[in-house]
Amino acid sequence: MKPDLELKIECFNLKYTLECGQCFRWEQIDENEYIGIIQDRVIRIKQGNGKVYVWSSLKDNLEEVVKEYFDLNTDYKELEESISKLDVNVKESLKYSSGIHILNQPLFETIISYIISANNNIKRISRSVKDISKKYGKKVIFENKEYYLFPTLEEIKDITTDDLLACGTGFRARYIKNTIKYFEENIEFLKCLEKENTEEAKKMLTSLMGIGPKVADCILLFALKRSEVFPIDVWVKRIMEKLYFKKETNIKEISSFAKDKFGEYAGIVQQHLFHNVREGNI
DNA sequence: CTGCAGGCCGGCG
DNA sequence: CGCCGGCCTGCA
């Protein structure tokens, strides 16, 4: 069937972008082809012959939505050239992972998803997000199959900790319940968060139950376009110690090092390092 | 069976 | 304050 949208994009690798661990709602259905949810619609997306092909359950603003989500308006060729000059390890790493884009994911969904991510594994995180969507999100039929959007705050506000436990969120259930309740009572919080500078936004996020420095950085990077943050999980810690410190180091030191060395592109560098250390490339 | 997975909370020194 | 034990749960 003819795609709803066809784009010619340089320096974009769909597979790396969706499989470098920044998102939890995409399912691979073929080599270089995925089905997932972006906000209010189900998307099937395929890359091949230097092009990206998109099918969608909803056609309105499709190009805009897709370009925004996959960050297709940013010149990553130029970006990668810039970061490869920063450091020899980054340059080496880019050989294996050129074309990773940082997604712009919906804020509310990203906050809940990353609270779930704490001390968890990707498989179980994805399952929990899916279960929550199935219970509280809107059903959408796409290509004869059922999918569920991530619920809005309004749709999910009456969720109980027991519901959340049933979705496999474990000890994070009360964090999520607490956060949802807080959003309901402080309706301006999310809007405010988008406007604040990065430092202030991080303070706001870490004031929420279940959000520490690492989860806050992920939200800032994957939903709020703050490309200068450098989320440090166990993998990134390990690879940074191996590449730069040659010994065990604390998070604070790595964070300050990354800020100095990678500056406004720290988040992009982090994604490449994360991808390659997990793939065993570096 | 034990350990662990993209950390965070809470209590203690 | 910084440190560190414990934690839902499913899978190796």
Side-chain angles (χ1 to χ4, degrees), chain A residues 73-86:
Chain A
N73 293 314
T74 301
D75 185 349
Y76 275 78
K77 193 169 189 294
E78 192 184 317
L79 207 57
E80 288 187 5
E81 277 170 19
S82 302
I83 61 174
S84 71
K85 286 176 195 155
L86 291 174

Side-chain angles (χ1 to χ4, degrees), chain A residues 108 110-120 124 132 150 153 156-157 159-165 168-185 189 204-213 215-216 219:
Chain A
F108 178 59
T110 305
I111 291 175
I112 303 302
S113 300
Y114 275 90
I115 292 177
I116 296 170
S117 80
N119 191 222
N120 209 342
R124 213 158 72 89
I132 291 173
F150 193 82
L153 179 57
I156 208 179
K157 68 182 169 57
I159 197 169
T160 64
T161 43
D162 282 344
D163 289 333
L164 287 161
L165 281 171
T169 56
F171 64 85
R172 310 158 196 85
R174 69 185 182 97
Y175 304 158
I176 298 166
K177 178 62 198 165
N178 193 301
T179 294
I180 289 172
K181 189 161 180 284
Y182 184 82
F183 287 167
E184 207 191 326
E185 289 163 1
F189 185 90
M204 288 173 71
L205 284 168
T206 50
S207 78
L208 298 171
M209 179 74 87
I211 301 186
V215 168
I219 296 165

Side-chain angles (χ1 to χ4, degrees), chain A residues 51-106:
Chain A
K51 283 187 180 176
V52 172
Y53 306 92
V54 181
W55 294 261
S56 174
S57 65
L58 197 62
K59 326 291 182 201
D60 336 342
N61 304 320
L62 184 59
E63 180 165 352
E64 195 184 329
V65 168
V66 167
K67 282 187 169 175
E68 170 68 11
Y69 183 87
F70 289 99
D71 202 19
L72 300 178
N73 293 314
T74 301
D75 185 349
Y76 275 78
K77 193 169 189 294
E78 192 184 317
L79 207 57
E80 288 187 5
E81 277 170 19
S82 302
I83 61 174
S84 71
K85 286 176 195 155
L86 291 174
D87 176 76
V88 63
N89 290 318
V90 176
K91 189 172 180 177
E92 172 68 15
S93 180
L94 271 170
K95 285 183 195 167
Y96 304 100
S97 54
S98 176
I100 289 182
H101 281 210
I102 304 286
L103 300 173
N104 294 311
Q105 302 181 66

